[in-house]
Every structure is written in C-alpha cells, then in structure tokens.
Amino acid sequence: MQQLTQKLGSGDMVIQELPYPQVGKGMVVVKNHFSIISAGTEGSTVTAARKSLIGKAKERPQQVKQVIDTLKKQGPVQTYRAVMKKLDAYSPLGYSCAGEVLEVGEGVTEFKVGDKVACAGAGYANHAEIVAVPVNLCVRLNTDANLKDAAYNTLGAISMQGIRQADMRLGETAVVIGLGLLGQLACMILKASGIQVIGIDVSDAPVQQAIKNKVVDAAYTRDSAGIEEKINAVTSGQGADAVIIAAATSSLDPINFAGAIARKKGKVIVLGAVPTGFERDPHWYRKELELKMACSYGPGRYDLNYEEKGIDYPYAFVRWTEKRNMEAFQRLIETKAINLDYLTTHEFNFDDAPKAFDLVVKRTEPFSGIALKYDVEKEVTKQAIKVNDLKANSKVAVSFIGAGSYAQGNLLPNIPESNDVSRIGVLTNTGTSSKRVAEKFKFGFCATQEEDVLDDKTNTLFIATRHDSHAEYVLKGLKSGKNIFVEKPICLTEGELDEIITLQQKVQKPVMIGFNRRFSPFISTIKKKFGEGPMTMIYRVNAGNIPKDNWIQDMEIGGGRIIGEACHFIDLLTFINGSLPKTVTAMALPDPNGLNDTVNISIQFENGSTGIVAYYANGSKELPKEYLEVFASGNTAILSDFKELKIYGKGKPFKNKSFNQNKGQKEMVEAFINGLLKDGQSPIPMKDIFAVTRATFKVLESIKNGSQPYAV
C-alpha cells in the first residue's frame, strides 16, 4: 500500500510503497476514501522540515537542549545516532480521514468489515491508502455517509472540544478569533447550537468566507477601525460571553484582544497554538476572566488506557470523550445541521498529494480545506516490500521484529558486516519505520506479516518491540526454530518465564537477552582484576522520573521499571560476582502513584556475595545516572556512568576514562553473532537469564509483602 511520508532532515516528501499495517488487538484496518490536510498543524510541520538545520534548531529549542544533554551524558557517537535517526526517519503525515473497514482486530465488536468509518489520530489516521486505527479513535457512519465531509472528523472534534470548554448557553455570544478550518468549524457548530457568533481574522478572505456562508452573525478583520466598539455594540454593551482563540501565532495579541472583548467574568478558551502571557491590567484582572485550554479532541486524548487499550470512560461520569465528540460532529453532518461543502476549496488525487502540500506551504492561491481522494478500486496486497537483494547461504540470517529508537541506535548499527551474516527482513508496527530501517541497514525486505520473518529464510530473530510482546515473539521464534535475541525484559510474568524455559529446553535454541552492561570494556576490566568469589557491590541508579501515564509504567504493557529496567542492574551484579541470586529483599519509598520506582534492592548470591541496587526515581537530572562500587579482598572498583573507572588496591590506582559512554551494546551484539558462528550458543548462560528475570519478579513480591526476603 502507498503512504505519504516526509523526512524531517531534508524535507523530502514522497508517496512510497510501504507494508500493509498490522491488525493489532483493539484495532481496525481501514481503506481510506478521503483524508483532509490541516493547513495549520501539518503546514507548520512541513514548513519546519524544509528549513535548514539552523532553522530547525531555532524552532525547536527544547529539542536542541535534549541533544546537548545527551551529548554530555552519552558522548558524540550516541548523540549523532539519535539525531540522525530523527532526521532520516520517514515521518507520516495526516490525522483525519474516512473510509471503509477492511479488517477488525482481536476484541473488536463494534465494527465489522464493510462499515463506513471516520478516523482520527496522528500516527494512525494518516494520508495513506490503508490505515490501522484504535477503536476509540474511530466512529461508525451511516451507509450513505458523505465520506469527504466525514473526513473532517478530527478537526470537527477539536473544534467541538473548544466549544465544550466554553460551556455556553442558548442565546449567548461567542467570538471566534482565527477563521481557518478550526475557526470555521467552531463557528458552524456554535451557530447550529443557537449561539450568536462573531468571527475575527487577520485576513479578509476567511472573514468574507464566513460571512458569505452564514456561519457568523458578524465578522471583522483584526485591523478594522473601532473593532472593540463594534463587538461591544453587537453584544449590547456587555462583551462576549466566551472568546475562542482558534489562531496559531507567536503574538500575544489574540490573548490580550480576547481580554478586551470578553464580558466581565467571561471565559477565554485557547483552542489554537498561542502564547498565554496576557497583560494583567486593564482587562484580565478587573474583569476576573477565566482562561481554559482545550485539549485536542477531548477527554481520552493522550490517555494510553483510552486510546491504545480501548478502555472507555463511564458515560455517566464523562459525558463527552474524544470519540463521543467525533460521533456528535458526524451527527451534525448527517442531519445537515452544519454544511461543510464550502470548506473544501481544493481536492487532489492522492497521487498528487505533494502538490497539495506545495499549495499549503507556498500559498500560491487562496485555499481552505484540502481533501485527498484515494483510488478505492486499487487492489491492495499484504506482500513484503523488497528493498535490497538477499545474500544467500549465510550462516547467520537476521530478521528484526521491532526497530525503534533503541534498536536503531544500539543494535542495528552493530550487526557485523560479514559474508557469514545476512540481513533478511524487518517487521514493525508502522510501515514508515520498517521501510526506512530496511533501507538504511540493508535488509532484504520490510515485512507486513509475522510469517515473513518467521519462515526458513531467517534463522536468527532480534525482538525489540514493546515489553508486553516480548514473550509472545520469543515463543513464536523458538517454535519456528530461530536463534533469539530479545531486548530486556524477556517477559512480564513468571508464567511466561516458565513457558519460555520449558520450550527453550525442549528445542535447545539459544536465547540471548539484551543485558549489554556485562559486555562493557569497563566491566571486563573489573572482572579481570577481581575474578569471582565473595564480594560486596553497590549499584546506585539515578533513574529519573517517568510519568505515571507513560507506557513503561503500565504493568500490562511495560511491566513497570523494576521488570523493565532494574533487571539490567541485577544482571550486572550477577555477572560481576560470578554466581546467581539466591534471595532478594526490597524496600520502596512510599509513592502516591504506587509506581515502586524508588527502591533499595538487597541481593544475596549463591557464593555469599551481597549486592545493593539503589534504584531511585527522585534524584536530580544533573547527577549522572549510574554509579557502581565493588569491594573484594582489599580492592575497590568505582565505575562512574560507564565513562570513568578507578580501581584501588596495592600501589598506584588504576584509572581508565573515556569521552564516550560505553555500556557494551556493540560488544554485546558482536558476542551474540560470534557465539552463533562459533558454536551456536548465547554468550549469556541460560541459567543467568532465567535467574535474573525471576529475581525481578521476586523484588516486586518483596515490596508487596512488607520487604520480606524471597528465595529466587
């Protein structure tokens, strides 16, 4: 299937052949009939992508700061890879479309194949022939629905949420500042609700458009003489009950102007992207105005449980969610309470989408809504997309399932260039990432189905998906006879671990987990100088805060930070002392969110060694992340953030310092591949992988049961 993409680095925009999207749980796959270009949101994205690197940096100071922070902590190599990954990626465009359902995923009951639907969501409702969308970002339409109008779905819901934030009553007056698509839609909906509407824009064309199509009772350009007096006259000398700002600008004029024209104790709703540093006097303070933000489509937006898991809010307690806003907008279209005909000033065939965006960026002629029309008669297949010629008869034939930021920065660049190693296929959730990864790292194809990377062409499977799918893919890979590399954690439950152990022992295929720190040259030095045997170890991890609503903190998806990351540090202590965890005890700092990510973990090892993992989420961001101390037989090693090692013993201290942080990712990948080539074995013993994983589960048990010790 084809999709419109753009590279952030070069600004190049192309329609390219990408893999058919996967039908995930709680998802529907839709064949697009129409999608709508948002001149504001998408136009600014495209314009920024076409700027120079300096221009991009000026527009994104926060991202520049992140780059500088990464440079300080990880060094230039990892920073360069992270930046280039962003700049070279194929970014999807679009977030509002309509079409018909081709497939429904597991657990979907409200849609069936053939339903007409309208879809929303950046990264989902793309400008593409086929899209996969979560159920709560998709609404069913009547069989005779006008799909071009329905494709305004996202924009309509955004406008409606702004109006809901205004909480207006029949007969009140609203001023809408900014008469682009969002502003025009807001005027329509307000007018249909019995509200007196006044429109304002800096340009005359949208003002005349609103007046001509009768979506306002009055409208003025911002520079109209006596504009405040005119609005005062229309509102009987009181001012507007609510002002909805649908503009996008860096100017403070909209927010200050809103204060001037609102009535006393009125409301100002920020629907667009404007600064809110208003002047306190004479209007905002003296009128005691209320400022409210409208969050995109409405309640549920940015909520992982709602958008990705499909868990709805109770109707009685949250009357209007983002999906219900979309449904209400579609009812307005269906009942002809609003008429969108005039909004679509241009319609392009999907093949001409780059020309449509040239119009948006260059503004060679007046426009309002721009619709992309798709060839719905075109046959769509699920075949893998060939990217490069496959290398035949290699001893190690690698495919990837999942290839996000970590894989692109630390795994893929380190696969050896060798006649003994071939790169077969890439399968990811999004066709844009799988295509780019296949191109950049010279894989034979980008896949659309699991079977494409589980067949006989592949004998070694790298799994770098989100945590909740690791166990599933490990089991599928083992059943298919593959050598397995899986990013940590290997699974999220003890039941999954037991199943993996049983199957691995049966098929005798190596399973490698991404415990990279044990492969760091710094750790190799410590091992060489300390050997094995009883020792004491302290590992302080300044992990930093991750919000509760991040997928990593979700126990069903990410497993939480103990399972998801602390396993790394338990493994490193296991490797250093040379024996397996025997018992674990853990104490967590009381946390109102119950995240258990500020915790002291005490470990007793089989050879008598003891270790402490001090995993803290409540520290300063300025403090380096990792600090390790090892004590044994009169010797002490201190490793600071994998950049500096000092070993104290007899004589002069040993010192080793590196400009680049080295956590062993390169050495880990090479060790895995070399192990397969040499004897078909994983460089990490199975007993270590399974014992460390079980120890992380026991940490959570100890926290839950009052810091009781648990045998591993």
Side-chain angles (χ1 to χ4, degrees):
M1 69 97 185
Q2 291 190 319
Q3 182 170 339
L4 179 68
T5 63
Q6 183 179 42
K7 281 190 179 181
L8 177 59
S10 64
D12 293 341
M13 181 181 292
V14 294
I15 294 174
Q16 58 178 318
E17 196 72 26
L18 297 178
Y20 184 101
Q22 290 185 290
V23 192
K25 181 179 179 181
M27 306 278 283
V28 292
V29 175
V30 177
K31 175 187 280 190
N32 269 341
H33 286 223
F34 289 93
S35 61
I36 301 298
I37 294 175
S38 169
T41 302
E42 294 183 82
S44 61
T45 299
V46 172
T47 300
R50 295 181 179 182
K51 290 186 176 181
S52 66
L53 288 177
I54 294 176
K56 292 180 175 68
K58 288 180 178 178
E59 285 209 352
R60 294 176 169 84
Q62 188 61 38
Q63 282 87 338
V64 172
K65 183 179 182 300
Q66 291 173 359
V67 170
I68 294 172
D69 289 343
T70 302
L71 180 64
K72 290 178 180 177
K73 294 176 181 178
Q74 299 183 18
V77 174
Q78 288 302 323
T79 303
Y80 175 79
R81 287 177 177 173
V83 171
M84 293 311 297
K85 184 261 176 183
K86 291 287 187 183
L87 295 178
D88 285 345
Y90 291 135
S91 297
L93 294 166
Y95 63 95
S96 193
C97 62
E100 64 177 297
V101 175
L102 294 181
E103 297 183 62
V104 297
E106 178 188 346
V108 176
T109 58
E110 62 183 288
F111 299 100
K112 65 180 185 300
V113 174
D115 281 349
K116 287 186 175 182
V117 292
C119 309
Y124 295 117
N126 301 318
H127 299 309
E129 291 177 330
I130 310 293
V131 295
V133 184
V135 290
N136 277 346
L137 290 174
C138 188
V139 295
R140 188 169 58 248
L141 307 172
N142 286 343
T143 55
D144 60 349
N146 180 323
L147 292 183
K148 187 189 338 185
D149 286 352
Y152 281 88
N153 191 48
T154 303
L155 296 155
I158 293 172
S159 298
M160 186 167 287
Q161 178 60 17
I163 293 169
R164 294 204 190 285
Q165 288 294 84
D167 192 24
M168 303 194 73
R169 300 293 184 269
L170 186 69
E172 292 184 337
T173 299
V175 173
V176 177
I177 300 176
L179 295 177
L181 281 181
L182 288 180
Q184 298 278 344
L185 286 164
C187 290
M188 285 185 202
I189 298 169
L190 287 164
K191 189 81 169 162
S193 304
I195 304 298
Q196 182 177 229
V197 184
I198 302 170
I200 306 292
D201 199 276
V202 294
S203 300
D204 185 59
V207 169
Q208 297 306 318
Q209 185 184 41
I211 294 172
K212 178 181 177 182
N213 291 282
K214 300 179 180 179
V215 298
V216 292
D217 295 284
Y220 312 100
T221 56
R222 175 65 183 91
D223 60 0
S224 296
I227 188 171
E228 292 182 22
E229 290 75 14
K230 291 177 181 178
I231 293 172
N232 198 43
V234 173
T235 59
S236 303
Q238 298 299 319
D241 296 287
V243 181
I244 298 174
I245 303 175
T249 177
S250 59
S251 169
L252 284 171
D253 181 70
I255 198 75
N256 286 321
F257 180 56
I261 61 177
R263 69 168 170 84
K264 190 169 185 177
K265 290 188 175 291
K267 299 173 185 174
V268 177
I269 314 300
V270 176
L271 177 61
V274 296
T276 55
F278 52 80
E279 296 172 0
R280 187 170 184 264
D281 275 331
H283 303 298
W284 278 88
Y285 168 68
R286 298 188 187 191
K287 291 182 179 179
E288 207 170 25
L289 298 177
E290 181 179 357
L291 177 65
K292 300 179 74 175
M293 305 296 291
C295 182
S296 198
Y297 328 149
R301 189 70 180 114
Y302 309 115
D303 183 341
L304 182 147
N305 285 322
Y306 182 90
E307 292 193 336
E308 294 195 27
K309 293 185 179 181
I311 301 173
D312 199 3
Y313 299 148
Y315 190 93
F317 297 96
V318 185
R319 176 63 183 88
W320 293 109
T321 61
E322 58 181 326
K323 180 165 183 168
R324 291 170 197 147
N325 276 338
M326 289 187 273
E327 290 171 338
F329 176 68
Q330 296 298 337
R331 280 195 297 272
L332 290 175
I333 297 174
E334 175 193 338
T335 59
K336 302 189 185 306
I338 60 175
N339 183 356
L340 275 60
D341 289 346
Y342 80 90
L343 280 186
T344 306
T345 56
H346 292 74
E347 182 178 310
F348 290 82
N349 289 330
F350 177 59
D351 292 342
D352 292 325
K355 294 180 182 178
F357 274 94
D358 283 342
L359 171 61
V360 171
V361 174
K362 297 177 182 177
R363 298 184 178 271
T364 52
E365 58 184 273
F367 66 89
S368 184
I370 301 176
L372 298 180
K373 183 179 181 180
Y374 296 80
D375 180 3
V376 296
E377 302 301 324
K378 180 179 177 181
E379 183 180 357
V380 179
T381 69
K382 293 186 177 183
Q383 293 180 345
I385 308 297
K386 180 180 177 181
V387 179
N388 297 291
D389 292 331
L390 288 175
K391 187 189 299 182
N393 302 319
S394 297
K395 294 180 181 178
V396 177
V398 173
S399 285
F400 266 72
I401 299 181
S405 295
Y406 183 81
Q408 292 182 49
N410 299 285
L411 302 179
L412 287 155
N414 295 318
I415 296 175
E417 295 278 355
S418 165
N419 290 331
D420 292 327
V421 180
S422 58
R423 305 172 185 220
I424 307 301
V426 180
L427 173 67
T428 69
N429 279 337
T430 64
T432 50
S433 62
S434 61
K435 178 70 174 290
R436 183 58 189 142
V437 167
E439 289 176 344
K440 183 175 182 179
F441 296 101
K442 302 176 183 178
F443 281 79
F445 61 81
C446 50
T448 189
Q449 302 176 96
E450 293 174 6
E451 292 78 9
D452 294 328
V453 295
L454 291 175
D455 65 11
D456 293 340
K457 292 191 293 293
T458 298
N459 63 25
T460 302
L461 192 64
F462 277 72
I463 300 165
T465 54
R466 286 207 310 197
H467 299 171
D468 58 326
S469 60
H470 285 185
E472 174 190 356
Y473 285 127
V474 168
L475 292 168
K476 287 180 178 179
L478 288 174
K479 289 174 183 176
S480 301
K482 312 302 181 196
N483 309 311
I484 301 295
F485 179 103
V486 59
E487 250 314 302
K488 53 81 188 166
I490 193 172
C491 59
L492 296 185
T493 69
E494 285 204 76
E496 291 174 339
L497 179 61
D498 292 337
E499 193 174 356
I500 290 170
I501 292 172
T502 300
L503 182 58
Q504 191 277 330
Q505 291 174 346
K506 177 181 177 181
V507 302
Q508 290 296 302
K509 282 290 181 179
V511 175
M512 168 76 166
I513 192 169
F515 289 151
N516 52 278
R517 284 164 176 79
R518 62 164 60 202
F519 295 94
S520 169
F522 292 112
I523 299 301
S524 298
T525 300
I526 293 174
K527 281 287 289 184
K528 182 178 179 180
K529 291 185 178 292
F530 278 66
E532 296 184 356
M535 59 184 69
T536 52
M537 301 162 287
I538 301 172
Y539 201 157
R540 189 269 296 145
V541 184
N542 182 38
N545 177 65
I546 292 181
K548 180 182 180 181
D549 58 1
N550 188 285
W551 69 268
I552 292 172
Q553 300 282 24
D554 187 287
M555 294 304 292
E556 294 180 5
I557 298 177
R561 300 181 77 184
I562 300 301
I563 293 175
E565 187 184 29
C567 56
H568 260 313
F569 314 119
I570 297 173
D571 173 74
L572 187 56
L573 299 189
T574 298
F575 175 69
I576 289 173
N577 88 88
S579 70
L580 301 179
K582 182 179 179 181
T583 61
V584 297
T585 306
M587 294 185 297
L589 190 72
D591 177 8
N593 291 318
L595 297 178
N596 294 326
D597 58 0
T598 298
V599 56
N600 285 317
I601 302 169
S602 177
I603 309 167
Q604 180 79 43
F605 293 91
E606 290 178 350
N607 68 358
S609 296
T610 62
I612 298 290
V613 175
Y615 187 88
Y616 299 156
N618 61 343
S620 166
K621 292 181 180 180
E622 301 305 314
L623 181 71
K625 181 179 178 182
E626 297 177 43
Y627 179 86
L628 171 68
E629 291 184 350
V630 181
F631 301 82
S633 304
N635 297 307
T636 302
I638 300 175
L639 178 60
S640 299
D641 215 27
F642 286 87
K643 295 177 76 173
E644 183 177 14
L645 172 64
K646 296 179 181 178
I647 298 179
Y648 299 88
K650 293 181 179 179
K652 186 178 180 180
F654 171 88
K655 295 182 181 181
N656 185 9
K657 190 172 183 178
S658 173
F659 185 64
N660 287 305
Q661 190 179 61
N662 190 340
K663 293 184 179 180
Q665 286 97 345
K666 181 176 184 292
E667 293 81 2
M668 171 188 66
V669 175
E670 290 178 348
F672 176 59
I673 298 295
N674 291 336
L676 297 180
L677 292 172
K678 181 181 178 181
D679 55 16
Q681 297 300 312
S682 166
I684 302 180
M686 294 293 105
K687 61 182 178 62
D688 286 28
I689 293 172
F690 298 146
V692 168
T693 301
R694 201 175 296 280
T696 62
F697 298 137
K698 300 306 180 185
V699 168
L700 294 181
E701 288 291 320
S702 180
I703 293 172
K704 185 170 65 175
N705 290 287
S707 302
Q708 293 184 25
Y710 274 80
V712 178

